[in-house]
Each structure stands twice: as structure tokens, then as C-alpha cells.
């Protein structure tokens, strides 16, 4: 007797991608119908409701041992992953965003039909999750200048459309406006460091680290997170770093302190006196109370993905 394949519970964001919600829904329905797969679709029109919708969808999927699927950009994928982590449900992704780092690092195609074939025919595999306090991040989490870059990028995307050139231009404009520095106390491997920096960036995506030219990609493959801080810099020096990152040569910059870790605690310097701080997790802006603890989640997500290294990473030493 053949066991029926698990039902798919797909949450899709009507605002992700390029206004293709109707086409997305039709393609998912057709692929599942042709594969004889049970499907439950849940559209999200108001992004403020996505966390509630994701929790309710996970509860329904748990009752029938179904697979919960996020169709959208990194922010949508993050919100659904937050609900799925620890539930026992497998997790699927249909990427519809601009950069799609999470799906790309795990070999899930950007093309919808190909991504659907992965979802329908591949098996779940464990993938690492980062946590800042209890909030999930799959790609990165950051504070300081980087959240400001993301806020400005979203503004310009609304004006000019979603594309990588627009994102790069928005970054240039933000850096030209100037910036302030954070005074932080970070505890790393039992030692406390007092730092002054425009940003603290924590990465959980090996592909992103490789593309900007940092060696911590291998550490992420080995179960750690990547940390980056900068020395206080002028706007022109920051522009130079942005260009280095775009060229994949950020690791050559002497103004960076980059490191790997399994757990990092961040507090505000007494002179700085903050009780909470603005944070970006996978492109979404939130406020969180200090101290912050960045760590690898004790259990992985069970992601439906192809076996072996992603095509973009296959040539990289240590890629998985």
C-alpha cells in the first residue's frame, strides 16, 4: 500500500515579487493537481497579519503531518519559518523576492515551475537557523547602519520598483547622508569587548558571505554564525566598502573585524544608555530589548531542497 504524499499548506504574500499573485496561485494549483497532491492555499494581503496566519497554518498542518510552504521574498520566508521551527513540520519555499539568498544557498530555483518540482519531489533536509533572542533569521540580522540602509532601500523600491540596481543605488544614497556610530559591549567566547561601530552584522547565509568576499562562509557550513563590525569610518570610506562588497572583495578591507561564533551577547555601552534597539532580520525592521543574544538555534528547519550543494556554491571549497 502506497502512503499518500503529505498535503501542502502554502502561504503566499500578494505583495512579493512583481504583482504576480494570480499567476502564482494558478501555477501552484496546476502543479499540485497534476501531481495529485492535496493543497491548501492561504493568501496574505496585510503583511501585519502574516505571523498570525503562519501560526494558524502550522497548527492545521501539524494535525495531518503536512508541509508548510512560504511563497514570497526573504521577509515572508522568515515569518513562516518562525512559526514552523520546532513544530515538527517540514518547510518548503517558493522564492518570489529580489535577492532570494535563503533559497539560492539551498539550491531552490528562482523559476516557479522548477521550484514547484523541488517542492513536490524532493525530501526534507536539516538546515541551520540563526536566532537573535527568540527571533529567527535565515539570512542575516543586524543593527546600526544596515537597518537604515534597508529602510531607505524599501522607500526607493516603492518609487522605482524592485531590482538589484535600485537596491544598490539606495545604498549609495543612504551612505551619502552620513551616519552615527553605536557604542556596544559584545561578549565573545568569554571575553567582553567595548566597540564603537556604525553597524553590527550577523550572517547565517554562506552564499551571501561568499559573494561579498568573506571567509566565514565555511564557518556557517560548519554550524556557526558570521559576525562583522566596522571601525568608525567616513562616508567615503563606507562607500569604498560598499563597492568592495559588490565586487566580492570585502574580506580584503582592513577596516573590518570579521569573526565566527556559536553565541554572541550584545549590550549597549553605559555611555550609550539604550534599553532597546532597532534591528533588521532578513530585511524586516523590528525593535528589540537589550541585551541581544545571537546564537545558532538548537534544532534545524527541515527544508524541502535538492540534495548536495547548490549550483551557485558547488565550486566553493567546503560548500554543502
Amino acid at each position: 500500500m502506497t502512503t499518500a504524499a503529505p498535503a501542502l499548506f502554502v502561504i503566499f504574500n500578494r505583495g512579493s515579487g512583481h504583482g504576480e499573485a494570480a499567476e502564482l496561485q494558478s501555477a501552484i494549483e496546476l502543479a499540485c493537481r497534476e501531481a495529485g497532491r492535496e493543497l491548501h492555499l492561504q493568501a496574505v494581503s496585510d503583511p501585519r497579519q502574516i505571523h498570525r496566519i503562519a501560526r494558524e497554518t502550522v497548527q492545521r498542518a501539524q494535525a495531518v503531518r503536512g508541509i508548510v510552504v512560504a511563497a514570497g521574498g526573504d521577509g515572508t520566508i522568515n515569518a513562516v519559518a518562525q512559526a514552523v521551527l520546532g513544530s515538527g513540520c517540514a518547510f518548503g519555499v517558493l522564492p518570489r523576492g529580489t535577492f532570494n539568498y535563503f533559497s539560492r544557498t539551498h539550491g531552490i530555483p528562482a523559476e516557479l515551475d522548477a521550484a514547484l518540482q523541488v517542492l513536490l519531489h524532493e525530501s526534507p533536509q536539516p538546515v541551520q537557523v540563526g536566532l537573535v533572542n527568540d527571533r529567527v533569521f535565515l539570512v542575516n540580522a543586524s543593527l546600526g547602519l544596515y537597518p537604515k540602509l534597508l529602510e531607505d532601500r524599501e522607500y526607493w523600491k516603492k518609487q522605482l520598483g524592485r531590482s538589484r540596481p535600485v537596491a544598490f543605488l539606495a545604498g549609495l544614497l543612504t551612505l551619502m547622508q552620513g551616519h552615527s556610530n553605536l557604542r556596544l559591549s559584545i561578549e565573545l567566547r568569554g571575553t567582553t569587548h567595548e566597540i564603537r561601530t556604525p553597524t553590527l552584522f550577523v550572517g547565517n547565509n554562506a552564499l551571501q558571505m561568499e559573494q561579498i568576499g568573506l571567509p566565514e562562509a565555511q564557518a556557517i557550513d560548519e554550524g556557526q554564525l558570521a559576525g562583522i563590525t566596522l571601525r568608525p569610518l567616513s562616508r567615503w570610506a563606507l562607500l569604498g566598502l560598499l563597492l568592495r562588497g559588490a565586487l566580492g572583495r570585502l574580506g580584503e578591507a582592513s577596516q573590518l573585524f570579521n569573526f565566527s561564533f556559536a553565541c554572541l551577547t550584545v549590550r549597549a555601552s553605559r555611555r550609550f544608555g539604550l534599553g532597546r534597539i532597532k534591528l533588521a532580520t532578513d530585511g524586516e525592521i523590528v525593535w528589540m530589548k537589550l541585551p541581544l543574544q545571537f546564537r545558532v538555534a538548537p534544532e534545524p528547519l527541515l527544508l524541502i531542497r535538492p540534495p548536495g550543494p547548490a549550483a551557485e556554491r558547488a565550486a566553493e571549497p567546503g560548500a554543502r
Side-chain angles (χ1 to χ4, degrees):
M1 181 177 177
T2 303
T3 303
L8 299 176
F9 292 77
V10 180
I11 301 169
F12 71 98
N13 184 354
R14 292 188 184 276
S16 294
H18 305 279
E20 302 166 345
E23 292 85 349
L24 172 65
Q25 182 171 343
S26 296
I28 296 171
E29 289 172 340
L30 177 61
C32 289
R33 187 163 59 247
E34 290 179 345
R37 200 70 169 266
E38 182 180 346
L39 172 67
H40 303 268
L41 275 172
Q42 177 65 62
V44 178
S45 299
D46 182 353
R48 295 172 297 181
Q49 300 300 317
I50 192 167
H51 289 281
R52 176 186 60 78
I53 291 170
R55 290 192 300 269
E56 293 172 354
T57 301
V58 167
Q59 290 175 354
R60 295 200 303 273
Q62 282 178 306
V64 296
R65 303 182 66 85
I67 297 170
V68 180
V69 181
D74 284 333
T76 300
I77 293 169
N78 174 287
V80 179
Q82 180 84 48
V84 172
L85 185 66
S87 69
C89 292
F91 182 53
V93 168
L94 297 173
R96 310 302 296 157
T98 303
F99 291 97
N100 298 319
Y101 271 119
F102 178 70
S103 56
R104 288 164 57 201
T105 204
H106 296 298
I108 299 171
E111 297 76 17
L112 180 57
D113 290 342
L116 281 164
Q117 292 308 304
V118 168
L119 179 63
L120 290 166
H121 300 295
E122 299 293 353
S123 301
Q125 300 180 48
V127 301
Q128 177 173 295
V129 174
L131 294 176
V132 51
N133 293 352
D134 292 322
R135 188 178 179 93
V136 162
F137 62 98
L138 304 175
V139 180
N140 57 57
S142 58
L143 50 147
L145 179 60
Y146 194 72
K148 173 62 174 170
L149 286 168
L150 292 177
E151 286 184 316
D152 290 352
R153 187 180 78 185
E154 287 305 305
Y155 170 80
W156 286 108
K157 281 183 176 180
K158 289 177 181 177
Q159 306 302 313
L160 302 175
R162 292 182 174 271
S163 70
R164 296 185 189 188
V166 168
F168 186 75
L169 175 62
L172 290 175
L173 293 173
T174 301
L175 294 182
M176 291 303 296
Q177 296 171 7
H179 63 279
S180 58
N181 292 304
L182 298 172
R183 296 181 183 272
L184 301 174
S185 173
I186 64 172
E187 185 177 322
L188 176 66
R189 303 186 189 98
T191 301
T192 299
H193 306 266
E194 301 290 334
I195 65 170
R196 184 168 171 260
T197 181
T199 193
L200 168 65
F201 179 96
V202 176
N204 184 42
N205 188 278
L207 176 63
Q208 187 178 49
M209 295 297 103
E210 289 166 355
Q211 291 196 336
I212 62 177
L214 291 176
E216 278 69 28
Q218 185 172 352
I220 293 172
D221 284 336
E222 293 170 354
Q224 298 193 74
L225 298 172
I228 304 168
T229 63
L230 310 178
R231 293 188 310 174
L233 298 169
S234 69
R235 68 186 65 180
W236 294 108
L238 281 169
L239 281 171
L241 287 180
L242 182 65
L243 291 173
R244 279 181 181 270
L247 295 172
R249 298 172 52 191
L250 197 58
E252 301 172 7
S254 61
Q255 302 97 327
L256 261 70
F257 174 47
N258 48 294
F259 53 97
S260 58
F261 65 92
C263 185
L264 177 75
T265 301
V266 177
R267 297 178 174 85
S269 167
R270 291 178 182 175
R271 289 173 293 174
F272 202 52
L274 284 179
R276 63 186 194 127
I277 197 164
K278 187 184 290 185
L279 194 77
T281 56
D282 295 346
E284 301 298 309
I285 307 298
V286 297
W287 284 88
M288 296 189 73
K289 290 183 178 179
L290 291 160
L292 303 176
Q293 186 183 69
F294 296 89
R295 61 191 174 102
V296 176
E299 59 184 302
L301 275 176
L302 299 175
L303 178 67
I304 307 293
R305 55 153 296 180
E312 287 187 82
R313 303 204 57 221
E316 298 293 335
R320 57 180 172 91

